[in-house]
Amino acid sequence: MFSIDYFKSILSYTIAFAIALIIPIGLGTENFGFVNLLSLLFIALLSVTIGKTISRHLQVHCLGGFSTAFEIILGFSILSFLQLIFTFLFKLNAVDAVFVSSLFVCVLLVINTKFFTDNSKRGFAFNLKLVALDTVVMLFISIMTTLWCRDIINSLAEARQTGIFHAWPDIFLHAVQIVSLQNYHDVLDASLFLSGTKQPVYHIASYALPAFYSGINNELAIVSATSFLVPCGLILSGLGVYGFGCLLANRFVGFAAVAALFMLPDASMYGLKIGFFGYQWLMQASPGSGYALAIVLSALGLYVLGIREGKFSFIIYAVILAVFSAFFRVQIAAPATIMMFILALIVWKPATNWHRYGAYIALLLLTVFMMCLSEIIDIGPHFITGEYTGSKFFQEIHDRVLLSGYASSALGKVYQFLITNLPIIVNWLIGYAVFLTTALGLIFPLLALLMPKKLLTTAEWKIDMIPAVLLLSSFLIIVSLPVPIDGDFSNFGHRQFVLIYVVCLIFLISWLTNLINRHLFRKQVNSLSISVICLPLLFVGLLTPWVYGKGIQQPNGWSQNIADTAMPSGLYKASTYIKENSHVRDIMLNSDLDRFATVVSITERQAYISRDLLYSNYKGIAGDVFRQRHEELGKLNLIETTSDLCAFAEKRNIKWLLKHPNDFIDWNSRLLNSAVYVSDGYQVYDLQRQCG
């Protein structure tokens, strides 16, 4: 017999999650219509259904707000992963892969009809009041996300008017990744950045559902990136914060943690004001972090449940979830996985010591295997042949602190003396303490004050040690990972700080709330009194995203304005012409090498060559291809006749050439005037048409 409560819950949370998605996506989509609405409802329905089904199976239910957050996050993540599996397995485009995934889910649900039986017997019952509370929190998270993300949500519309794209330039790379999945059946694993080469292995799961959204709605991938990919990551991470806070203490702590996350300035907005450690900035510049954060917080929730209920199986699930987050953001998954393994080993009580020794040996062998495997992945960390980053990363921290204006002060001179003359391990420890101070701000000293007492005096030390184990894992990542292929030695050390920020913030809010309750509020405080205190604070807190959200894409302290990418009207129109008049398999040559893949993201077509800063550092096949093609571009100036142009294009299978006004190509007037489209000096040449 079907459970009415079960379907009420699915319907309620589907609508709530869909509305949370619609707020930022609707604002960022120029012609948001009925199909857009249906596609988001479809994503929400599948996410909630998958998550709730797995949650029932694991018996994770009726646990405050945690079960709500856990189910939505898990369902969305599993749906994204299923889409990837079917995309690669059957060579499907994103839309087809999602529909196959939905059929797969339906089959599993029919087979496991026990999920539709009377769930109230297994602890499940529909509670309208709690659903309403969770819905309000979701809407709050969505609204705050939209405020923080308003620059990037409106970036394309503003660029059309001003010719400047006000967003961190990596957004173009994210848009191209979305296109790769959206049109996978046509381009397969070919790189859109460098035609004829394979797409590098990457953490791409966060692009899956944005690719479905842009595909089914015929939206530009750049629109899906700015209005779906970025805000959705923040919404899911906000849900993760709420859920873990609820489980750690109660719903008040869960909401307080969410409010603190979105309504308090992060560490880059006060103190040393080092923009490199701006939480709100990095979460938008690196949107996969939000998806991975949500999964890791869910994993930590399972760990807490495992401790409190004495179920080691939950802790195993937590380890699996931490590893699973690597499909969304490796830089988050690395410290999270180490943390979960350490926590699991600490609380594990094997039947004999031999079991523990066996586990250590298995972990050692697994580590060696992963180190060897990463050697054959172009953009992976090369542990055996790579250069290690610890000293460079901490020197980067020292330099940023000194450049922030403290070098000439007495304290600055003492600081320089210490980092210059002390042993390297001490230098690293000082660097790590400074890293935590600049990344966490006031959270770090407050946490350091409260943590010792919590670990020594509470019964839940196995839970309260989570921040300490995370900090240890973070330090190990910094000193043990080599420089990646792009030369960015701050990659793994820096990108992980958002995980530290969120986890430490939640524990700090929980500990402070407990402290206040025990020492200030001797009597029970009713919800009305709390509301009277908190509502004014909420209104004041709205000023933070309103003030700091404007211009958040460009961190302070940068030597140049990286977030303002030139996108002249002529360039946009010429790129749009290529997109509208080409086939997805067409290859395009952009005369200025398209450093940030701006043109690739708008045309959504394979580039013959692009991203010169990245590929010039590559050492594999892709690097050799890039360097060869870079040399070949000089032959463009040697072309004198149409037949020469045809030979050049046919040999390289180039269909389109986009010539910029300032890029000098020494052609005769007949060739220069053969462009099929011209806009403000940007010329589009259909090379195969001229040769036809």
Side-chain angles (χ1 to χ4, degrees):
M1 181 179 178
F2 295 104
S3 168
I4 299 299
D5 280 356
Y6 187 78
F7 286 111
K8 280 183 182 179
S9 180
I10 288 180
L11 180 61
S12 300
Y13 285 119
T14 294
I15 294 173
F17 185 41
I19 294 174
L21 294 177
I22 287 168
I23 293 173
I25 296 174
L27 290 174
T29 304
E30 189 173 355
N31 297 306
F32 189 87
F34 186 65
V35 177
N36 302 76
L37 177 63
L38 283 181
S39 61
L40 293 179
L41 280 169
F42 185 65
I43 290 171
L45 176 62
L46 283 176
S47 299
V48 172
T49 304
I50 294 171
K52 196 167 286 293
T53 301
I54 297 176
S55 180
R56 296 305 103 194
H57 183 69
L58 298 178
Q59 296 183 353
V60 179
H61 48 267
C62 296
L63 296 164
F66 174 72
S67 60
T68 300
F70 177 76
E71 288 164 5
I72 292 175
I73 292 167
L74 186 64
F76 189 97
S77 306
I78 294 294
L79 178 59
S80 300
F81 183 68
L82 283 176
Q83 181 185 336
L84 287 185
I85 294 296
F86 289 119
T87 294
F88 298 140
L89 192 60
F90 300 115
K91 308 292 189 275
L92 299 176
N93 290 335
V95 174
D96 297 331
V98 168
F99 286 133
V100 172
S101 300
S102 65
L103 289 174
F104 178 75
V105 170
C106 288
V107 170
L108 288 183
L109 290 177
V110 170
I111 294 173
N112 294 276
T113 52
K114 63 181 179 180
F115 293 122
F116 294 105
T117 60
D118 188 3
N119 289 276
S120 61
K121 293 179 181 178
R122 291 187 289 133
F124 180 86
F126 182 75
N127 187 316
L128 182 59
K129 181 181 178 180
L130 296 182
V131 170
L133 283 173
D134 292 339
T135 300
V136 168
V137 173
M138 270 191 267
L139 295 182
F140 174 79
I141 292 171
S142 178
I143 292 169
M144 298 305 293
T145 292
T146 305
L147 281 175
W148 278 112
C149 294
R150 63 187 187 274
D151 275 5
I152 196 167
I153 288 173
N154 297 319
S155 55
L156 185 59
E158 288 187 5
R160 288 168 177 161
Q161 300 295 324
T162 64
I164 302 294
F165 195 92
H166 296 289
W168 195 254
D170 284 6
I171 196 66
F172 301 117
L173 312 182
H174 302 314
V176 174
Q177 295 287 352
I178 290 172
V179 174
S180 298
L181 290 177
Q182 180 183 327
N183 300 326
Y184 188 82
H185 175 73
D186 300 295
V187 299
L188 297 180
D189 58 349
S191 170
L192 270 68
F193 300 120
L194 193 65
S195 65
T197 63
K198 290 187 177 296
Q199 183 78 8
V201 176
Y202 200 63
H203 35 226
I204 60 173
S206 59
Y207 305 118
L209 290 175
F212 164 75
Y213 177 78
S214 59
I216 200 167
N217 294 293
N218 198 27
E219 289 285 354
L220 281 171
I222 189 69
V223 173
S224 188
T226 56
S227 64
F228 189 131
L229 175 70
V230 175
C232 185
L234 267 69
I235 290 171
L236 290 174
S237 61
L239 268 175
V241 170
Y242 171 66
F244 187 56
C246 289
L247 183 63
L248 203 58
N250 50 53
R251 285 180 187 270
F252 176 79
V253 168
F255 181 73
V258 169
L261 182 68
F262 286 106
M263 305 181 92
L264 293 181
D266 64 40
S268 70
M269 300 169 189
Y270 60 88
L272 295 176
K273 294 184 177 180
I274 299 178
F276 191 56
F277 294 106
Y279 172 85
Q280 300 293 347
W281 160 70
L282 187 59
M283 288 292 286
Q284 296 184 42
S286 176
S289 300
Y291 299 84
L293 268 178
I295 296 170
V296 173
L297 290 172
S298 298
L300 285 173
L302 288 178
Y303 169 80
V304 171
L305 281 177
I307 296 298
R308 289 178 177 169
E309 298 184 10
K311 294 182 179 179
F312 193 74
S313 59
F314 277 5
I315 297 174
I316 298 298
Y317 300 150
V319 173
I320 293 171
L321 265 186
V323 175
F324 176 67
S325 67
F327 289 101
F328 294 83
R329 189 69 179 167
V330 170
Q331 289 89 339
I332 300 295
T337 301
I338 294 175
M339 171 186 67
M340 291 310 309
F341 270 115
I342 293 175
L343 290 171
L345 288 174
I346 290 174
V347 303
W348 181 38
K349 297 178 180 178
T352 66
N353 285 333
W354 289 109
H355 289 166
R356 186 178 294 277
Y357 299 148
Y360 291 157
I361 293 172
L363 280 176
L364 178 62
L365 293 175
L366 179 62
T367 301
V368 172
F369 171 76
M370 295 304 297
M371 290 172 64
C372 295
L373 180 64
S374 67
E375 287 292 316
I376 63 175
I377 300 175
D378 282 345
I379 61 175
H382 294 175
F383 291 93
I384 300 173
T385 60
E387 176 187 0
Y388 284 82
T389 65
S391 296
K392 287 188 175 182
F393 177 75
F394 290 125
Q395 187 59 50
E396 171 81 1
I397 301 297
H398 300 322
D399 291 344
R400 288 185 180 274
V401 170
L402 294 173
L403 288 173
S404 64
Y406 291 85
S408 58
S409 67
L411 185 61
K413 291 177 180 178
V414 172
Y415 179 65
Q416 290 184 69
F417 174 81
L418 291 176
I419 63 176
T420 304
N421 296 282
L422 292 176
I424 187 170
I425 186 63
V426 180
N427 183 297
W428 285 1
L429 292 174
I430 293 174
Y432 190 62
V434 174
F435 162 66
L436 293 177
T437 303
T438 54
L440 304 185
L442 289 173
I443 297 173
F444 178 52
L446 290 174
L447 198 77
L449 284 173
L450 295 175
M451 187 183 295
K453 186 175 181 181
K454 294 294 293 185
L455 291 177
L456 295 173
T457 62
T458 65
E460 290 199 326
W461 65 270
K462 294 178 182 178
I463 295 173
D464 291 328
M465 70 177 175
I466 288 175
V469 175
L470 175 59
L471 295 183
L472 172 62
S473 304
S474 164
F475 182 77
L476 291 175
I477 287 292
I478 293 172
V479 300
S480 65
L481 285 184
V483 180
I485 194 169
D486 61 3
D488 184 2
F489 54 82
S490 70
N491 197 316
F492 279 87
H494 171 254
R495 308 304 186 268
Q496 61 168 328
F497 89 82
V498 292
L499 172 63
I500 304 171
Y501 184 91
V502 163
V503 171
C504 291
L505 176 64
I506 298 171
F507 273 92
L508 179 61
I509 295 294
S510 176
W511 293 349
L512 286 176
T513 304
N514 181 264
L515 192 66
I516 292 170
N517 284 338
R518 285 192 294 111
H519 294 282
L520 296 183
F521 296 131
R522 300 293 183 179
K523 296 180 180 180
Q524 185 69 29
V525 181
N526 61 45
S527 58
L528 179 61
S529 301
I530 293 175
S531 300
V532 170
I533 296 171
C534 292
L535 283 178
L537 295 177
L538 290 178
F539 284 114
V540 173
L542 286 172
L543 293 174
T544 300
W546 184 258
V547 173
Y548 291 105
K550 187 65 178 175
I552 193 68
Q553 291 291 309
Q554 177 59 46
N556 55 59
W558 243 253
S559 59
Q560 55 182 319
N561 199 357
I562 303 175
D564 286 348
T565 304
M567 188 185 284
S569 175
L571 176 64
Y572 181 79
K573 290 177 180 177
S575 301
T576 302
Y577 176 87
I578 294 176
K579 172 178 168 56
E580 293 176 349
N581 293 273
S582 60
H583 188 271
V584 292
R585 290 195 181 97
D586 286 354
I587 295 175
M588 164 207 63
L589 174 61
N590 185 26
S591 65
D592 80 338
L593 295 183
D594 203 10
R595 175 160 294 177
F596 296 119
T598 309
V599 173
V600 179
S601 69
I602 300 171
T603 62
E604 301 184 0
R605 299 297 176 257
Q606 296 180 69
Y608 182 67
I609 187 172
S610 71
R611 299 190 69 187
D612 53 321
L613 286 179
L614 173 69
Y615 284 109
S616 60
N617 291 318
Y618 264 52
K619 299 178 181 179
I621 296 175
D624 295 337
V625 170
F626 172 84
R627 285 181 282 274
Q628 178 187 349
R629 291 182 181 180
H630 192 267
E631 293 177 3
E632 290 177 353
L633 291 184
K635 297 179 181 179
L636 273 175
N637 279 326
L638 303 178
I639 292 174
E640 298 179 352
T641 65
T642 302
S643 59
D644 292 339
L645 182 60
C646 292
F648 179 88
E650 288 176 0
K651 180 180 178 181
R652 297 161 180 82
N653 198 28
I654 299 173
K655 166 72 171 173
W656 303 93
L657 170 64
L658 174 56
K659 178 184 174 298
H660 291 234
N662 298 325
D663 292 334
F664 179 73
I665 298 180
D666 190 18
W667 287 354
N668 59 47
S669 58
R670 181 182 176 187
L671 284 176
L672 287 173
N673 293 330
S674 64
V676 294
Y677 182 82
V678 179
S679 178
D680 295 339
Y682 290 88
Q683 299 167 287
V684 177
Y685 296 88
D686 185 343
L687 303 182
Q688 293 181 9
R689 176 180 171 184
Q690 288 181 260
C691 301

